[in-house]
Amino acid sequence: MKQSLMVLLAGILLMALLIPASIGCGSDDEDATGKTGGNGSSNEVELSGSISEAGSTSVQPLAEQMATEFMNLHPKVRITISGGGSSAGVKACANGTVDIGGASRDIKMTEADLIPIAIARDAVAVAVHPDNPVSGLTVEQVKSIYEGRITNWKEVGGKDKKIVVLSREEGSGTRDCFETKVTEEIKLDALFFDSNGAVKTKLSSEPDAIGFLSLGYVGGLKALSLDGVEPTMENCMSGKYPVLRRLYLLTSEVPEGAVKEFLDFCRSDEGQKIAEAEGYIPLAK
């Protein structure tokens, strides 16, 4: 009887020892945290796939830098960035030609329902050739120049030279901001360009020209103060500079997967550091 009881107790003890072992068992490469692989890598699926973006040339250089850094972090994701203007970006996003549209203006009521995600703020700078002696104008003077009432630089303290007026084309987000903040009328004999880069190129080679373009493009040009306020990062962040706007990436539906992760990255602290380094204004915290 004692021998039988001892055998029974030994069996119970053996089972007690085996139960925790069986609970702790799983696949050979999974630990208790749910991570797999001997190197401790997560069981989350690594991001992969392709993302296409097109639209605003104000957004383009910033999106390119953000995309480059994002692809460094996620080598299996490929992102292509192209220009075309804000209206083109809105249209391409709405009809599904691209995954993401770029716009440097607010979405209009007459346009398709899209989801705008702000990724930075921007100033529209009024700029001239570096050799132009004029360093600042009032908003009213800029308005008069673009509406054709002031036509010579000597009228605003410059040389006796005819002012060559440069503008963006219709549908441009930069022009939309300029027309909202400065003037709704641009003289018909102005020279019209389809990108910020084209305006910069003309300003760089034409000493008597004046143009407006994204603050991120003014390197090598002279950005004029407006009403005594220079378009510095400090003045833009405080709201003192009068011609400010937001830059957007757009989607036609609630973003998921790699698209969502990229958009989240653009708005993250790391993404906002890229924006500031590129001459744009970080989103208000």
Side-chain angles (χ1 to χ4, degrees), residues 107-208:
I107 301 303
K108 299 177 181 179
M109 291 293 292
T110 56
E111 294 173 332
D113 290 336
L114 298 173
I115 302 172
I117 297 99
I119 61 168
R121 293 180 292 162
D122 185 31
V124 174
V126 178
V128 296
H129 190 279
D131 293 340
N132 192 318
V134 175
S135 297
L137 296 170
T138 66
V139 171
E140 185 60 34
Q141 285 173 325
V142 176
K143 175 181 172 71
S144 294
I145 289 171
Y146 272 85
E147 293 179 357
R149 295 192 302 277
I150 294 178
T151 59
N152 194 297
W153 280 111
K154 70 179 181 180
E155 298 177 69
V156 291
K159 297 178 180 179
D160 185 9
K161 296 286 186 178
K162 180 181 178 181
I163 301 174
V164 179
V165 178
L166 312 183
S167 175
R168 289 294 306 278
E169 81 290 3
E170 290 187 9
S172 157
T174 304
R175 176 170 169 174
D176 181 86
C177 179
F178 185 79
E179 289 179 330
T180 300
K181 304 286 187 175
V182 179
T183 178
E184 296 181 1
E185 180 182 345
I186 295 177
K187 56 189 292 187
L188 295 177
D189 63 347
L191 302 179
F192 296 91
F193 297 87
D194 62 2
S195 70
N196 283 284
V199 172
K200 179 175 182 176
T201 298
K202 183 63 175 177
L203 283 172
S204 298
S205 62
E206 177 53 75
D208 302 321

Side-chain angles (χ1 to χ4, degrees), residues 33-278:
T33 65
K35 295 181 178 180
T36 59
N39 58 4
S41 61
S42 173
N43 64 350
E44 293 182 0
V45 177
E46 184 177 357
L47 289 176
S48 63
S50 60
I51 301 171
S52 57
E53 186 274 350
S56 167
T57 60
S58 297
V59 174
Q60 184 178 359
L62 176 56
E64 287 173 345
Q65 291 300 317
M66 288 177 164
T68 296
E69 183 58 32
F70 186 81
M71 288 187 289
N72 288 337
L73 296 173
H74 304 282
K76 292 185 178 181
V77 177
R78 304 309 304 167
I79 306 176
T80 58
I81 307 291
S82 56
S86 292
S87 292
V90 169
K91 183 178 180 180
C93 182
N95 64 27
T97 304
V98 296
D99 300 304
I100 300 173
S104 54
R105 59 168 174 79
D106 294 337
I107 301 303
K108 299 177 181 179
M109 291 293 292
T110 56
E111 294 173 332
D113 290 336
L114 298 173
I115 302 172
I117 297 99
I119 61 168
R121 293 180 292 162
D122 185 31
V124 174
V126 178
V128 296
H129 190 279
D131 293 340
N132 192 318
V134 175
S135 297
L137 296 170
T138 66
V139 171
E140 185 60 34
Q141 285 173 325
V142 176
K143 175 181 172 71
S144 294
I145 289 171
Y146 272 85
E147 293 179 357
R149 295 192 302 277
I150 294 178
T151 59
N152 194 297
W153 280 111
K154 70 179 181 180
E155 298 177 69
V156 291
K159 297 178 180 179
D160 185 9
K161 296 286 186 178
K162 180 181 178 181
I163 301 174
V164 179
V165 178
L166 312 183
S167 175
R168 289 294 306 278
E169 81 290 3
E170 290 187 9
S172 157
T174 304
R175 176 170 169 174
D176 181 86
C177 179
F178 185 79
E179 289 179 330
T180 300
K181 304 286 187 175
V182 179
T183 178
E184 296 181 1
E185 180 182 345
I186 295 177
K187 56 189 292 187
L188 295 177
D189 63 347
L191 302 179
F192 296 91
F193 297 87
D194 62 2
S195 70
N196 283 284
V199 172
K200 179 175 182 176
T201 298
K202 183 63 175 177
L203 283 172
S204 298
S205 62
E206 177 53 75
D208 302 321
I210 186 171
F212 57 86
L213 68 172
S214 168
L215 184 61
Y217 281 82
V218 299
L221 302 174
K222 180 189 284 188
L224 303 180
S225 64
L226 296 181
D227 292 339
V229 181
E230 296 180 358
T232 63
M233 186 68 67
E234 181 181 0
N235 287 336
C236 291
M237 291 186 71
S238 69
K240 291 181 180 179
Y241 185 74
V243 191
L244 298 171
R245 60 180 174 172
R246 286 184 174 85
L247 302 180
Y248 298 98
L249 292 178
L250 317 169
T251 60
S252 59
E253 54 188 27
V254 177
E256 298 179 345
V259 171
K260 179 183 183 302
E261 294 299 323
F262 174 59
L263 295 172
D264 287 346
F265 172 79
C266 293
R267 291 176 57 85
S268 70
D269 289 343
E270 188 170 358
Q272 293 305 293
K273 288 179 182 178
I274 295 173
E276 186 169 5
E278 291 299 308

